[in-house]
């Protein structure tokens, strides 16, 4: 029993409209769901991913308008790595990001940059056989498109204290010192710890949590039991409508989620028009008239998507 790589990574933004412009236009991802934070429906939860809204490429943001800038520290993920197809893709992205006023630095086969709120990211050349998870953008040629998550890096005060949970309970494989891989039936994703780190501040431009994919409900429940057995204080299974979730902090403080593949983002809107308007899960649908006016209008992402642009 293995977790099937990274399911999604959720972060915090203070500026939803700018966030949409950056991820859906500049980075060429598809906005696959426009929803609200189910624990605080006054704020957006924005999801970006590949054309099919697959687990494995899904970067998401809670929008807290005007929230203070955060800073990654101990017990927090500080860098998200996306895969691209080639070294030429790194050249493309360095130029494209520079044109958008985003400084990117090349270090061998790694391109390092931060989003407009300081969220650290790298692009790495894909060294796996995993299916590339690509979105069809108007401004990014397919051969240069992001292909899904590769790994994350976090800081930890006592990184070895997470060994037991990672290796015994979550069945991560140790692939190097302080580097683990969750490789399941369809994909793999890695988690890397760096010792140290100052005290972080959760705020705009920081990672809120990382979700690992469970292939089945049986696996989902079994991993929960194993995490509890290793000392994690795991929540019960929570129905997020698009998937089912379990949350706990790993021993160094990074918030982990285990999320199911099913049912996915097409549960409440057709694949063709995913993310084009506000979706509310059934438990919040009756409050649409109260929730929707409190949210800021977002840019129309259709002109940036090849398949949607033909409908305009
Ligand atoms: Zn999540």
């Amino acid at each position: 029993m293995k977790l099937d790589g990274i399911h999604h990574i959720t972060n915090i933004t203070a500026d939803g409209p700018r966030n949409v412009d950056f991820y859906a236009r500049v980075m060429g991802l598809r906005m696959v769901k426009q929803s609200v934070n189910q624990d605080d429906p006054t704020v957006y939860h924005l999801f970006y991913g590949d054309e099919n809204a697959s687990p494995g490429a899904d970067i998401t943001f809670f929008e807290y308008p005007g929230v203070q800038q955060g800073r990654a520290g101990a017990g927090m993920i500080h860098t998200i790595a996306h895969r691209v197809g080639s070294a030429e893709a790194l050249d493309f992205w360095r130029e494209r990001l520079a044109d958008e006023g985003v400084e990117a630095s090349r270090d061998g086969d790694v391109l390092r940059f931060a989003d407009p709120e300081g969220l650290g990211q790298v692009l790495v050349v894909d060294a796996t056989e995993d299916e590339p998870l690509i979105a069809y953008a108007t401004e990014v040629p397919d051969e240069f498109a992001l292909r899904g998550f590769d790994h994350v890096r976090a800081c930890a005060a006592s990184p070895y204290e997470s060994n037991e949970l990672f290796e015994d309970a979550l069945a991560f494989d140790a692939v190097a010192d302080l580097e683990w891989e969750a490789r399941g039936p369809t994909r793999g994703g890695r988690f890397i710890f760096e010792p140290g780190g100052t005290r972080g501040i959760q705020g705009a431009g920081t990672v809120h949590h990382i979700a690992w994919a469970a292939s089945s409900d049986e696996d989902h429940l079994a991993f929960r039991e194993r995490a509890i057995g290793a000392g994690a204080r795991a929540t019960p299974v929570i129905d997020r409508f698009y998937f089912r979730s379990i949350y706990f902090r790993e021993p160094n403080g990074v918030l982990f989620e285990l999320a199911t593949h099913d049912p996915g983002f097409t549960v409440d809107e057709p694949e063709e028009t995913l993310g084009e308007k506000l979706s509310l899960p059934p438990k919040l649908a009756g409050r649409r008239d109260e929730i929707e006016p409190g949210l800021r209008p977002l840019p129309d992402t259709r002109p940036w998507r090849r398949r949607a642009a033909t409908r305009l």
Side-chain angles (χ1 to χ4, degrees):
M1 186 174 73
K2 293 284 186 183
L3 290 163
D4 205 22
I6 297 169
H7 186 289
H8 64 268
I9 300 172
T10 296
N11 313 283
I12 296 174
T13 176
D15 186 342
R18 184 171 66 173
N19 188 261
V20 172
D21 181 71
F22 187 75
Y23 287 94
R25 184 182 63 81
V26 178
M27 300 310 294
L29 299 175
R30 179 178 184 187
M31 187 150 80
V32 294
K33 191 64 67 180
Q34 215 185 109
S35 194
V36 293
N37 181 337
Q38 295 184 21
D39 298 322
D40 179 2
T42 64
V43 303
Y44 274 123
H45 192 180
L46 305 172
F47 299 74
Y48 311 91
D50 71 329
E51 199 67 19
N52 303 313
S54 313
D58 200 7
I59 184 165
T60 93
F61 290 83
F62 296 138
E63 187 214 29
Y64 289 96
V67 72
Q68 70 162 335
Q69 181 79 31
R71 189 184 65 219
M76 293 170 75
I77 291 168
H78 62 73
T79 302
I80 296 170
H82 310 265
R83 295 173 184 154
V84 293
S86 63
E88 292 69 43
L90 300 178
D91 296 333
F92 167 85
W93 282 105
R94 180 162 62 179
E95 209 164 292
R96 176 165 175 77
L97 289 166
D99 289 347
E100 295 289 341
V102 176
E103 198 183 316
S105 61
R106 178 88 177 258
D107 180 8
D109 271 355
V110 175
L111 186 72
R112 188 175 305 282
F113 65 99
D115 83 357
E117 293 174 286
L119 181 62
Q121 286 164 84
V122 295
L123 305 181
V124 299
V125 177
D126 191 355
T128 73
E129 303 288 313
D130 295 350
E131 185 195 349
L133 302 176
I134 287 173
Y136 306 128
T138 50
E139 298 187 17
V140 179
D142 291 352
E143 67 264 37
F144 301 142
L146 305 195
R147 296 157 68 110
F149 296 124
D150 190 77
H151 64 268
V152 295
R153 284 179 183 272
C155 284
S158 311
Y160 294 100
E161 284 180 16
S162 297
N163 258 334
E164 185 191 345
L165 179 83
F166 289 179
E167 296 175 25
D168 298 345
L170 301 182
F172 287 1
D173 292 313
V175 291
D177 188 39
L178 296 181
E179 179 172 339
W180 295 268
E181 182 177 44
R183 172 159 290 285
T186 62
R187 5 195 359 98
R190 285 175 296 131
F191 186 95
I192 301 168
F193 259 148
E194 291 162 2
T198 52
R199 184 143 161 226
I201 302 166
Q202 186 93 81
T206 63
V207 177
H208 188 270
H209 64 267
I210 180 169
W212 303 93
S215 302
S216 68
D217 282 311
E218 295 72 46
D219 284 13
H220 198 223
L221 294 169
F223 277 117
R224 177 175 183 273
E225 290 306 313
R226 285 163 55 156
I228 290 169
R233 295 159 62 104
T235 66
V237 176
I238 298 172
D239 185 0
R240 293 303 191 191
F241 188 50
Y242 305 112
F243 39 80
R244 290 169 292 286
S245 300
I246 294 162
Y247 303 86
F248 52 87
R249 285 192 190 276
E250 60 77 40
N252 276 283
V254 180
L255 183 58
F256 274 20
E257 174 182 348
L258 306 179
T260 57
H261 280 160
D262 298 330
F265 292 111
T266 52
V267 69
D268 62 349
E269 48 184 356
E271 203 276 339
E272 191 189 10
T273 55
L274 281 177
E276 292 181 6
K277 59 179 177 39
L278 183 69
S279 293
L280 296 175
K283 66 180 175 185
L284 295 170
R287 293 171 61 191
R288 180 175 283 269
D289 292 348
E290 162 205 345
I291 291 170
E292 201 159 14
L295 299 169
R296 292 196 286 180
L298 297 175
D300 182 355
T301 62
R302 291 175 300 173
W304 309 326
R305 295 194 43 245
R306 286 210 301 277
R307 288 181 175 171
T310 62
R311 279 189 279 117
L312 292 177

